[in-house]
Amino acid sequence: PRLGPFLDPAHGAWSVARQTESSDRLARIPGLSAPVSVRFDDRRVPHIVAAGELDAVRALGYVVARDRLFQLELQWRAGAGRLTELVGGAALEMDRSTRRLGLPVAAAKRLAALPDTSVERLLLDAFAEGTNAWIDGLDSRGLPLEYHLLGRRPARWEPINSLYLLGRMGQTLAMSDLER
């Protein structure tokens, strides 16, 4: 099957969120400086209340990973030109195209240009910490179905993955405008 429609952020796998749990439960997210509250409304939309921005972003990484881990991995790998590593040779041409466009190099340059103490870098790190907190707590029962089907485990989230994902989303949106 063609992967382009599957990866379309508006209509493909990205748009299909796993059903979130509506019940409240406690979770331990490393690195929080104060308690954070995440409440889900009747539409299962998370509402995050935190004393600081970095704690809110850590909790966001945790919640997004809980609800969309496979979609996150598909998108960052597509933006890094590394989708073939996850799904096999069917994605090879897409990976080549992404690399020819320079998306992975652009993401690496953006990350390298951020000082380690910049707000942007701290936010990327906080999201990665929250995402990895979810990944670290996964056992085989909690692993999304897609990983079971592929016989894989999720990759750890690195700060650059957010930049890969954003680059891929930008490319998809730009290309969809051209198709109209």
Side-chain angles (χ1 to χ4, degrees):
R2 290 184 43 224
L3 287 176
F6 181 69
L7 297 173
D8 175 12
H11 305 290
W14 183 254
S15 67
V16 181
R18 287 182 26 195
Q19 290 296 320
T20 60
E21 300 165 17
S22 57
S23 62
D24 294 332
R25 66 178 199 182
L26 293 175
R28 301 225 184 274
I29 303 173
L32 291 179
S33 63
V36 173
S37 170
V38 181
R39 301 275 184 221
F40 295 87
D41 64 22
D42 58 343
R43 294 176 296 138
R44 296 190 172 124
V45 173
H47 298 268
I48 299 171
V49 178
E53 189 174 27
L54 294 178
D55 283 346
V57 172
R58 276 186 197 88
L60 177 65
Y62 187 89
V63 171
V64 172
R66 187 194 78 161
D67 294 343
R68 295 177 173 257
L69 184 58
F70 189 73
Q71 291 89 348
L72 282 174
E73 185 154 359
L74 279 178
Q75 291 297 314
W76 83 252
R77 284 186 181 277
R82 294 179 50 194
L83 194 55
T84 303
E85 295 172 9
L86 183 65
V87 301
L92 186 57
E93 188 49 44
M94 181 181 286
D95 283 350
R96 287 178 176 158
S97 175
T98 298
R99 289 172 184 234
R100 278 192 299 267
L101 285 171
L103 293 180
V105 172
K109 285 181 179 179
R110 277 193 299 257
L111 186 65
L114 294 176
D116 288 345
T117 57
S118 69
V119 172
E120 295 85 356
R121 178 58 196 245
L122 294 174
L123 291 170
L124 291 170
D125 291 343
F127 187 84
E129 290 166 9
T131 302
N132 287 326
W134 175 257
I135 292 170
D136 292 345
L138 281 176
D139 59 18
S140 64
R141 289 185 326 245
L143 200 60
L145 173 65
E146 299 89 345
Y147 290 105
H148 287 286
L149 293 172
L150 293 170
R152 301 288 308 266
R153 294 261 326 152
R156 297 218 15 104
W157 193 267
E158 300 295 330
I160 196 168
N161 294 3
S162 295
L163 299 176
Y164 291 144
L165 185 148
L166 292 171
R168 172 65 184 173
M169 289 178 71
Q171 177 200 14
T172 300
L173 292 171
M175 297 308 287
S176 68
D177 283 346
L178 293 176
E179 293 172 1
R180 290 182 194 183

